[in-house]
Amino acid sequence: MHETVDALVPAGRVPAQGVYIDATFGRGGHSRALLERLADSARLIVIDRDPQAIEQAEALARTDGRVTCLHGGFGDLERLLQEQSIDQVNGLMFDLGVSSPQIDQAQRGFSFMKDGPLDMRMDTSQGHTAAQWLAEASMEEMREVFKDYGEERFALQIAKAIVARRTERPLERTLDLASLVAGAVRSREKGQHPATRTFQAIRIYVNRELEELGSALQAALGRLACSGVLAVISFHSLEDRKVKQFMQRAARPHADYARLPFREAEMPQPVLTGLKRILPSAKEVQENSRSRSAVLRIARRTDAPLTDELIRALGEAPDKRSFSRRRR
């Protein structure tokens, strides 16, 4: 979405000074567009956990001295910025979820349409693969993950089918899992593969995406300079709900204090303003069908004081479908 770059640096303010962050570099489309609007003295920090993305980011950094490349997930944002001695940023963007190149490479294991190993890790250098989790998880744990992270109505049936299957032989291939799920799902949503929600749930769980998103939003808010912009693109309701709740709470933190005996001057002031929600245009969807589910949310930092305590409170928006569980 070009609106993402427009939000961070409006065309009328080019060239822009300051520090900007692309926390999900991917293949660099947003970063390259943003660099065209930055002054020679500006700085762009690009972050990604995918080793293939980092290779491309490092190549960009070799040709543009404004770029600093950092290997890590967006959940590591606070630590990464501390290590770079960056206290304030003027704009920060997230493009959540799996990228098109990751989906298109069968060996990454994200696609239920192409045969490949059940990996699904964003960072292939560490962590458990999807196949390892499916081999070890209890039926109840799988049911909860499919239900909470995939909003799958047939979560229990799918979990039972996996447990029954792995007693015979392990699940190690994407098409094998997709076929198993299709057999367990009694009805299908029009235009959607029956394994869509299950693959989404496993990917989110294996990569700790929702948990890391909460940490990333808090870190981003704590680093935004006055008038700095936060822009987040989400591709499914779980991510978007978390982003929406966070921004809304930051735009009206006084709501939690409304029934308490505080004077108006003592109420926390909004730390975000100008909240916007932008959906892809018909033209964009026609050119890129994967953009049809995208939601861009934008917010701007005010000059209200922000304490660590308030940042933590804003990050605690209730969401029954986001949970932390002990990992192996």
Side-chain angles (χ1 to χ4, degrees), residues 269-309:
Q269 298 302 302
V271 293
L272 289 180
T273 189
L275 273 58
K276 293 182 181 178
R277 173 178 175 267
I278 300 176
L279 300 178
S281 65
K283 179 181 178 181
E284 185 171 2
V285 173
Q286 185 177 15
E287 294 174 349
N288 177 16
S289 61
R290 288 173 179 165
S291 69
R292 65 183 180 276
S293 59
V295 179
L296 169 62
R297 292 191 183 272
I298 301 168
R300 184 177 298 276
R301 179 74 166 91
T302 70
D303 61 358
L306 183 63
T307 64
D308 291 341
E309 181 181 2

Side-chain angles (χ1 to χ4, degrees), residues 24 29 31 33 57 65 72 106 121 125 169 212 245:
T24 49
S31 285
R121 293 172 298 166
S125 68
R169 63 185 189 280
E212 294 208 351
Q245 289 177 341

Side-chain angles (χ1 to χ4, degrees), residues 192-219:
Q192 185 178 88
H193 191 285
T196 300
R197 294 178 179 274
T198 300
F199 270 65
Q200 171 188 299
I202 296 173
R203 190 204 80 222
I204 291 173
Y205 179 76
V206 166
N207 294 289
R208 303 181 70 250
E209 292 177 39
L210 290 182
E211 295 157 354
E212 294 208 351
L213 178 56
S215 300
L217 291 172
Q218 292 181 58

